[in-house]
């Protein structure tokens, strides 16, 4: 697993995908930051952080699109699948490498907050540590779910472009059901949609509250998609 | 060492591998021969654990690939039809990745140097794989397969698309690997098997049709020989005269003509050396012989003959 992880990390920075991801995501983040704080003369960073979710929604698929689509196209997956590494380890290697990139992005995105800190008095509503920590954890968890979905989609197709589009559409769908779910009458569908709606549980963290239930939810959500990805490879053997 | 029993693989309704059984002894180089689409790659992919079988068992060194895939995969080096190379890496980076991937536990630098020396890629070790020629890429693919000193190496069509010089080099390389490893080599080129392998397994349409020592195969192949001659003389008369000669089973004009010289394809009885007979007969008519060459048996001929001979046995 470590070998796959290392190779992925390396390839992010040799194929420039990693730089493209970081640079473009940070530029958009900077714009959101400027608009939501500097231009609106506010020290409230909650808008900034919820904006970052959309940045991740659009840019994380860039990282995950390659993960298996590329391997399938160039047949390098044959090397991975015939080497003494389990399918789960292989999938986790990919997920963790994208997660590392996500973490790098989140850390860098916090740099914008530093100048803001100068304006925070003792009684202002500016960024306090608990609130920032909560948002960081929320971003990492929700980003992890995006990655798991993206890796799953990329295991289904050898076309990277299809992978990126399908992933973004899937993530947008998950966002949308959050909005209209309450209108659905059928209870069973509502339960399923509620489970898919990864945005619903995000709010708690942004108040700086650590919610164990949501943590478990996000971990299991990502776990389910990792499991599904593993199943894709296992079932392909029997095709 | 490797035992395959009643292996079946269906793709939907299509029977890609149909009840194949064979065993391979330690230290053998076995040729896996068949036309494109015969089921060679499928069988190899099953042995390496890339695909699963519909039914049947594959045992490598006493371990079942379906039950203990990790243990078996550690013993197998595999070069698929298309070498699984990450073209954005240098040769050394790539091989070092494979070394880690296989979880090898000996000195990395020594081992990689040894492998690169064996397949003669030391001079390109710091180049990006993307920039390598096809022959070099194939060698990097072979290097990848032999990392970790697996007991058993599988090569799927290793010489396809290479130029003649590269083909000879790769064949020599495989032959030298055969001294230390057990090797399966798939190909659709008969002469390749004859050049490298101790034993040949022939499959066609998913069925095993022969499992013979290479020497024995040559006997089957040699049951009738083919040759091509060029004669300066009247086409039809030469043809009729050749048909009357002893030891010649079939004659046909292949339609190639240079001036008054026509060429003919002959099928002859290998027990009789027809060369003198033909020469004397042509000389007596003063039709000069402009050329004579023997034609190597093609895979299709072998198939026809093998299928005929197995049907003959059944009767």
């Amino acid at each position: 697993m470590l070998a796959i992880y290392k190779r992925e990390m390396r390839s992010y920075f040799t194929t420039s995908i990693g730089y493209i991801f970081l640079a473009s995501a940070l530029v958009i983040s900077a714009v959101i930051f400027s608009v939501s704080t500097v231009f609106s003369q506010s020290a409230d960073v909650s808008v900034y952080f919820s904006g970052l979710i959309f940045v991740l929604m659009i840019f994380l698929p860039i990282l995950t699109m390659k993960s298996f689509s590329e391997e399938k196209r160039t047949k390098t997956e044959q090397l991975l699948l015939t080497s003494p590494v389990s399918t789960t380890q292989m999938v986790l290697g990919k997920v963790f490498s994208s997660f590392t990139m996500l973490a790098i992005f989140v850390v860098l995105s916090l740099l914008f907050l530093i100048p803001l800190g100068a304006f925070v008095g003792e009684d202002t509503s500016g960024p306090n540590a608990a609130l920032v920590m909560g948002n960081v954890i929320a971003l990492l968890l929700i980003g992890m779910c995006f990655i798991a979905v993206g890796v799953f989609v990329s295991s289904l197709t050898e076309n990277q472009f299809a992978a990126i589009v399908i992933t973004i559409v899937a993530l947008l769908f998950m966002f949308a059901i959050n909005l209209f779910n309450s209108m659905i009458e059928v209870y069973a569908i509502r339960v399923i949609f509620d489970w898919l709606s990864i945005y619903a549980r995000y709010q708690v963290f942004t108040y700086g509250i650590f919610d164990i239930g949501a943590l478990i939810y996000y971990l299991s959500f990502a776990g389910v998609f990792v499991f599904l990805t593993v199943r894709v490879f296992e079932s392909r053997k029997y095709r | 060492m490797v035992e395959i029993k009643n292996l079946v693989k269906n793709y939907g309704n299509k029977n890609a591998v149909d009840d194949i059984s064979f065993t391979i002894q330690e230290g053998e180089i076995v040729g896996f021969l068949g036309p494109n689409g015969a089921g060679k790659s499928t069988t190899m992919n099953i042995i390496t654990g890339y695909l699963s079988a519909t039914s049947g068992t594959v045992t490598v060194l006493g371990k079942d690939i379906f039950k203990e895939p990790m243990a078996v995969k550690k013993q197998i080096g595999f070069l698929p039809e298309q070498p699984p190379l990450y073209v954005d890496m240098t040769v050394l980076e790539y091989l070092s990745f494979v070394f880690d991937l296989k979880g090898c536990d000996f000195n990395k630098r020594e081992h990689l140097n040894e492998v690169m020396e064996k397949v003669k890629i030391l001079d390109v070790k710091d180049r990006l794989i993307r920039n390598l020629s096809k022959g070099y890429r194939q060698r990097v693919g072979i290097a990848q397969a032999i990392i970790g000193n697996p007991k058993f190496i599988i090569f799927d069509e290793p010489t396809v698309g290479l130029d003649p010089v590269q083909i000879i080099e790769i064949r020599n390389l495989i032959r030298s690997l055969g001294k230390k490893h057990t090797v399966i080599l798939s190909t659709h080129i008969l002469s390749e098997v004859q050049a490298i392998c101790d034993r040949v397994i022939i499959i066609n349409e998913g069925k095993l049709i022969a499992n013979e020592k290479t020497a024995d195969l040559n006997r089957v192949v040699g049951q009738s020989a083919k040759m091509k001659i060029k004669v300066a003389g009247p086409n039809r008369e030469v043809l009729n005269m050749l048909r009357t000669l002893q030891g010649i089973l079939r004659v046909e004009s292949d339609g190639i003509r240079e001036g008054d010289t026509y060429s003919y394809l002959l099928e002859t009885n290998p027990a009789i050396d027809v060369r003198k007979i033909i020469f004397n007969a042509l000389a007596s008519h003063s039709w000069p012989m402009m050329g004579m060459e023997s034609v190597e048996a093609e895979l299709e001929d072998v198939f026809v003959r093998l299928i005929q001979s197995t049907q003959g046995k059944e009767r």
Side-chain angles (χ1 to χ4, degrees):
Chain A
M1 185 173 87
L2 195 64
I4 294 177
Y5 171 82
K6 269 164 44 188
R7 206 208 77 77
E8 288 295 312
M9 287 309 291
R10 212 197 126 274
S11 104
Y12 280 143
F13 292 105
T14 53
T15 62
S16 68
I17 287 269
Y19 293 114
I20 292 173
F21 163 75
L22 286 176
S24 45
L26 282 172
V27 165
I28 305 293
S29 310
V31 171
I32 295 174
F33 183 75
S34 308
V35 172
S36 69
T37 62
V38 182
F39 294 144
S40 51
Q41 301 190 337
S42 146
D44 178 13
V45 290
S46 59
V47 181
Y48 172 57
F49 278 114
S50 41
L52 284 190
I53 290 193
F54 289 92
V55 172
L56 293 180
M57 211 156 108
I58 303 299
F59 289 99
L60 276 180
I62 296 181
L63 289 185
T64 57
M65 68 171 182
K66 249 166 50 88
S67 44
F68 287 115
S69 308
E70 175 95 343
E71 305 258 2
K72 200 170 175 182
R73 199 174 56 78
T74 59
K75 309 272 178 189
T76 43
E77 62 165 21
Q78 227 164 347
L79 171 66
L80 302 183
L81 293 171
T82 57
S83 64
V85 174
S86 75
T87 321
T88 313
Q89 288 176 322
M90 178 180 83
V91 175
L92 286 180
K94 300 271 185 184
V95 170
F96 286 147
S97 63
S98 297
F99 187 75
T100 307
M101 294 300 292
L102 165 70
I104 294 173
F105 165 74
V106 170
V107 168
L108 291 177
S109 74
L110 292 180
L111 295 179
F112 298 137
L113 299 182
I114 294 174
L116 206 60
F119 298 105
V120 179
E122 301 213 338
D123 55 322
T124 59
S125 61
N128 69 57
L131 198 140
V132 171
M133 273 309 284
N135 273 299
V136 166
I137 291 172
L139 277 179
L140 291 177
L141 288 177
I142 210 163
M144 180 180 66
C145 294
F146 292 173
I147 288 169
V149 172
V151 168
F152 169 68
V153 171
S154 97
S155 74
L156 298 175
T157 171
E158 48 186 283
N159 183 334
Q160 296 185 19
F161 186 69
I164 197 167
V165 171
I166 295 171
T167 308
I168 292 178
V169 168
L171 296 179
L172 283 173
F173 174 73
M174 288 174 190
F175 174 72
I177 53 180
N178 188 25
L179 303 177
F180 64 73
N181 198 20
S182 53
M183 291 181 268
I184 293 173
E185 309 249 314
V186 185
Y187 178 71
I189 296 180
R190 216 159 64 210
V191 169
I192 295 169
F193 277 16
D194 188 49
W195 186 80
L196 278 173
S197 156
I198 39 181
Y199 303 89
R201 289 156 184 83
Y202 168 73
Q203 220 62 41
V204 194
F205 287 100
T206 62
Y207 304 139
I209 300 165
F210 188 78
D211 179 359
I212 284 281
L215 174 78
I216 292 170
Y217 164 78
Y218 283 123
L219 287 175
S220 54
F221 186 95
V224 164
F225 277 91
V226 166
F227 174 77
L228 287 176
T229 313
V230 172
R231 295 318 305 166
V232 167
F233 283 100
E234 294 297 323
S235 70
R236 275 235 306 274
K237 283 192 191 176
Y238 293 91
R239 191 187 36 180
Chain B
M1 169 175 182
V2 179
E3 194 176 8
I4 284 145
K5 259 194 199 155
N6 305 100
L7 196 66
V8 175
K9 175 75 181 176
N10 298 330
Y11 288 121
N13 296 330
K14 195 177 169 279
N15 215 320
V17 175
D18 188 2
D19 196 15
I20 285 183
S21 305
F22 58 85
T23 56
I24 294 169
Q25 304 303 322
E26 190 159 353
E28 268 188 313
I29 303 185
V30 174
F32 213 50
L33 190 66
N36 293 323
K40 292 178 304 223
S41 290
T42 305
T43 309
M44 296 188 150
N45 282 332
I46 293 172
I47 299 174
T48 56
Y50 180 63
L51 287 177
S52 179
T54 307
S55 65
T57 57
V58 174
T59 322
V60 178
L61 290 161
K63 291 192 172 110
D64 189 322
I65 178 79
F66 306 124
K67 290 183 185 135
E68 297 173 76
M70 292 301 138
V72 173
K73 284 172 178 178
K74 259 189 175 313
Q75 305 291 345
I76 298 182
F78 181 37
L79 174 65
E81 209 166 342
Q82 185 179 342
L85 306 173
Y86 292 100
V87 295
D88 59 332
M89 298 176 109
T90 67
V91 171
L92 187 60
E93 282 169 346
Y94 171 70
L95 294 179
S96 145
F97 163 66
V98 174
F99 184 93
D100 293 341
L101 189 68
K102 292 187 177 179
C104 305
D105 52 3
F106 19 78
N107 185 309
K108 188 168 177 177
R109 184 184 300 196
E110 264 175 35
H111 183 61
L112 291 186
N113 268 324
E114 204 177 290
V115 166
M116 287 191 291
E117 202 178 319
K118 209 181 269 174
V119 302
K120 301 201 182 73
I121 51 173
L122 268 174
D123 50 333
V124 296
K125 70 175 181 182
D126 292 320
R127 281 177 55 186
L128 282 179
I129 294 174
R130 183 198 311 279
N131 299 333
L132 295 182
S133 69
K134 185 128 209 271
Y136 267 114
R137 286 186 186 202
Q138 199 70 18
R139 284 193 219 176
V140 176
I142 293 176
Q144 162 274 122
I146 62 179
I147 281 178
N149 290 330
K151 294 234 165 69
F152 179 39
I153 310 179
I154 300 182
F155 295 114
D156 196 352
E157 310 236 339
T159 57
V160 166
L162 300 182
D163 69 38
V165 177
Q166 291 168 335
I167 289 180
I168 291 170
E169 284 172 356
I170 297 284
R171 282 183 187 167
N172 288 338
L173 180 59
I174 293 173
R175 203 179 293 129
S176 73
L177 288 174
K179 286 171 193 148
K180 274 194 179 168
H181 309 261
T182 305
V183 177
I184 288 195
L185 162 87
S186 99
T187 176
H188 59 270
I189 306 161
L190 184 61
S191 60
E192 191 153 284
V193 168
Q194 288 166 323
I196 314 179
C197 302
D198 307 319
R199 201 148 59 82
V200 196
I201 289 166
I202 302 183
I203 61 171
N204 190 27
E205 292 176 353
K207 287 197 172 61
L208 190 120
I209 59 173
N211 181 356
E212 312 257 357
K213 288 253 160 62
T214 311
D216 295 337
L217 180 79
N218 289 342
R219 221 169 292 142
V220 179
V221 174
Q223 268 172 15
S224 93
K226 277 190 174 175
M227 60 169 61
K228 204 172 172 180
I229 60 169
K230 288 180 183 171
V231 179
N235 189 5
R236 181 157 305 174
E237 285 163 50
V238 174
L239 204 57
N240 287 336
M241 191 279 293
L242 286 172
R243 286 196 173 122
T244 62
L245 294 179
Q246 187 204 0
I248 294 186
L249 306 173
R250 225 157 62 87
V251 187
E252 57 187 77
S253 173
D254 66 2
I256 299 170
R257 178 183 174 176
E258 307 160 33
D260 61 345
T261 304
Y262 295 85
S263 64
Y264 305 88
L265 211 57
L266 312 182
E267 218 170 287
T268 63
N269 182 345
I272 301 169
D273 189 349
V274 293
R275 288 172 299 183
K276 279 183 193 164
I277 300 173
I278 295 171
F279 179 83
N280 289 331
L282 290 172
S284 69
H285 288 82
S286 339
W287 292 327
M289 172 141 46
M290 310 298 284
M292 177 186 269
E293 58 183 308
S294 63
V295 178
E296 274 191 44
E298 305 269 334
L299 187 53
E300 293 76 36
D301 303 329
V302 180
F303 276 144
V304 172
R305 248 164 259 157
L306 281 170
I307 291 166
Q308 282 168 351
S309 74
T310 45
Q311 281 169 346
K313 271 178 213 160
E314 278 164 19
R315 274 178 213 146

